Amino acid sequence: MKKVGVIFGGRSVEHEVSVITGMQIIENIDKTKYQVVPIYITKEGKWLIGECLLDFKNFKNNNLKDAKEIFMTPSHGNFNLYANPEEVGLFGKKILDTIDIIFPALHGTHGEDGSIQGLFELMDIPYVGGGVLASSVGMDKILMKDVFKANNLPIVDFYWFYRSDWKDNNESIVNNIENKLKYPVFVKPANLGSSIGINIAKDREGLIKAIEIAVNYDRKIIIEQAVQNPREINCAVLGYDEEIITSLCEEPLGWEDVLTFEDKYVKSNSKGTKTSGERRIIPADISDELRERIEDLAKKSFKAIDGRGTSRIDFLIDQEQNVFINEINTLPGSIGFYLWEGKGYPFKKLVDKLIDIALVTHEEKKKNMYNYDANLFNRIQYGGKM
């Protein structure tokens, strides 16, 4: 039976959201096929394992004293979880567990942005979700939009700048924004999710205030042209390479300016139905023609960043039925299980499919050559002379 290490928590402002995602994944992994090893990264950056991590109540009550600190190595092919040498001593148990595949559930910084995916690549261990490139591009809203623009995918106009430049040239930046965009505009940290640090500005005073908030969360700030009276429609993609399918479309309800953190994670706990009492409508009440356009753009955006696993793509629809890609949310920032239930993938089956994709794509990677015998050492003299 393969052991799946589910990694969650992390040094991110989205720490608590990640814990919830990790608990959901652990609950829905097929226990007849896989043994779960929970790996929790604290807000301080310590890596812990232990049975106590399987109970969500222990996180609510901060009762994790029985968890043990572990270390991992980037050495190729080493999937061991090592104990803290200061705790086990000379003759203690040094290897606490060994895992076969990793299911990251880390939201935001250091987890969703390609950072930890780089560790998995060095280890050469199968892992669920997008690779380093897809994760980093999907996280950075500026690079994401540049990639979409290069692939002729529809996006709203935007402007971006560095935090350091804002401190020295804030008036010039505001003038540049007002010359390129019209109010209202969205102000966002380039590398963050869950609506944290995001605000809408309807005039110069609001713009400056929103930027002053955003610069606390990232060194890169993006300003986006707001779509007037938009509908938000979301659609997810599942698969890899050309073998991809789309989910049902959803329309979040009560979406006016921007969904807050509480809207996403506190108020919206239930599955959506076609009732106004829920936080979303699934499937979205849109025409077949619009749905097909959205599904096509969802696939193209997923392929444009070299996605794998699953990602949710958020769209904005204006009054003339023009479709704009707002952003792509790679796994684990969005598992979007509720979007897949109506397509024959309940949560447990979706988790199983994501693990299968990770294993298949890892086998595909083994076809690459990583050695090239050029006999270079014997053909060149020290100092660069042949």
Side-chain angles (χ1 to χ4, degrees):
M1 182 178 291
K2 290 185 180 295
K3 291 186 177 181
V4 179
V6 179
I7 303 182
F8 55 94
R11 293 181 57 243
S12 167
V13 294
E14 299 178 77
H15 179 97
E16 285 80 8
V17 178
S18 174
V19 172
I20 294 171
T21 298
M23 293 293 100
Q24 290 176 330
I25 293 168
I26 289 170
E27 181 180 349
N28 286 280
I29 282 182
D30 188 344
K31 307 301 192 303
T32 66
K33 295 174 63 175
Y34 305 106
Q35 181 180 343
V36 178
V37 179
I39 303 173
Y40 171 60
I41 303 178
T42 70
K43 292 182 178 181
E44 296 72 35
K46 289 186 176 182
W47 293 43
L48 307 176
I49 64 170
E51 292 293 318
C52 63
L53 302 177
L54 295 171
D55 189 345
F56 183 60
K57 292 181 181 178
N58 290 327
F59 292 94
K60 296 177 68 173
N61 301 327
N62 196 26
N63 183 24
L64 304 176
K65 61 181 183 299
D66 293 330
K68 296 181 180 180
E69 185 176 10
I70 57 102
F71 296 87
M72 297 177 71
T73 170
S75 297
H76 180 272
N78 189 337
F79 309 151
N80 296 324
L81 306 181
Y82 295 95
N84 186 338
E86 296 179 357
E87 295 181 0
V88 300
L90 185 61
F91 302 104
K93 185 178 180 182
K94 295 178 175 59
I95 299 177
L96 298 179
D97 217 327
T98 301
I99 52 180
D100 300 296
I101 183 171
I102 292 176
F103 201 128
L106 294 165
H107 289 247
T109 312
H110 303 132
E112 194 180 338
D113 57 3
S115 299
I116 203 165
Q117 286 80 4
L119 171 63
F120 305 151
E121 290 287 344
L122 290 173
M123 294 169 64
D124 195 25
I125 186 171
Y127 63 95
V128 173
V132 176
L133 179 64
S135 299
S136 58
V137 172
M139 185 70 176
D140 190 309
K141 295 179 178 64
I142 298 166
L143 293 178
M144 177 200 307
K145 289 181 183 296
D146 282 339
V147 169
F148 290 161
K149 187 176 181 179
N151 283 271
N152 297 314
L153 299 176
I155 58 172
V156 298
D157 290 335
F158 67 98
Y159 180 89
W160 72 275
F161 56 89
Y162 291 113
R163 176 169 54 199
S164 58
D165 196 26
W166 171 252
K167 293 180 181 179
D168 300 327
N169 303 293
N170 54 8
E171 185 173 350
S172 174
I173 288 174
V174 169
N175 289 335
N176 289 339
I177 294 170
E178 291 181 332
N179 286 334
K180 183 170 184 178
L181 307 176
K182 296 180 180 179
Y183 293 110
V185 295
F186 282 104
V187 180
K188 303 177 180 180
N191 290 274
L192 207 59
S194 299
S195 298
I196 296 173
I198 297 177
N199 286 283
I200 190 168
K202 300 179 180 180
D203 51 36
R204 174 172 279 224
E205 181 181 357
L207 175 64
I208 294 173
K209 182 178 179 181
I211 292 174
E212 291 291 351
I213 294 173
V215 294
N216 290 302
Y217 294 99
D218 195 16
R219 58 186 280 271
K220 295 167 68 178
I221 307 301
I222 184 170
I223 315 296
E224 298 175 349
Q225 181 68 64
V227 177
Q228 295 290 344
N229 302 313
R231 294 178 70 183
E232 180 181 5
I233 304 294
N234 304 330
C235 181
V237 176
L238 176 68
Y240 64 97
D241 293 352
E242 297 293 337
E243 300 182 23
I244 54 178
I245 60 173
T246 54
S247 72
L248 295 176
C249 292
E250 70 160 333
E251 180 173 11
L253 295 179
W255 193 90
E256 296 176 357
D257 291 337
V258 60
L259 287 174
T260 66
F261 182 93
E262 286 75 17
D263 288 330
K264 289 185 175 182
Y265 300 113
V266 179
K267 297 177 182 178
S268 184
N269 289 324
S270 59
K271 294 184 294 182
T273 59
K274 277 201 169 183
T275 64
S276 59
E278 299 291 349
R279 301 299 298 174
R280 57 176 68 97
I281 297 176
I282 302 177
D285 188 10
I286 55 178
S287 67
D288 288 342
E289 186 273 334
L290 180 57
R291 175 183 54 77
E292 289 172 1
R293 271 197 286 156
I294 288 172
E295 290 177 347
D296 180 60
L297 288 172
K299 290 180 178 180
K300 288 179 178 178
S301 61
F302 185 74
K303 290 164 64 176
I305 68 165
D306 194 24
R308 69 171 184 250
T310 187
S311 297
R312 190 192 75 239
I313 299 89
D314 300 344
F315 297 89
L316 297 176
I317 318 298
D318 68 12
Q319 298 299 302
E320 287 74 39
Q321 299 293 288
N322 295 309
V323 180
F324 302 94
I325 302 173
N326 188 32
E327 63 180 358
I328 185 169
N329 300 273
T330 60
L331 189 150
S334 177
I335 295 178
F337 64 91
Y338 52 89
L339 293 172
W340 291 107
E341 291 174 336
K343 280 293 189 85
Y345 283 93
F347 204 162
K348 182 171 289 188
K349 184 177 178 181
L350 177 62
V351 169
D352 206 43
K353 178 65 174 179
L354 290 171
I355 293 174
D356 286 343
I357 292 172
L359 294 171
V360 169
T361 53
H362 185 257
E363 287 298 315
E364 177 70 21
K365 190 176 71 172
K366 289 181 178 180
K367 298 177 183 178
N368 297 341
M369 291 183 61
Y370 295 98
N371 292 300
Y372 180 72
D373 188 8
N375 197 26
L376 191 59
F377 292 159
N378 293 324
R379 295 171 56 193
I380 193 169
Q381 296 181 1
Y382 184 74
K385 296 180 180 179
M386 297 298 291

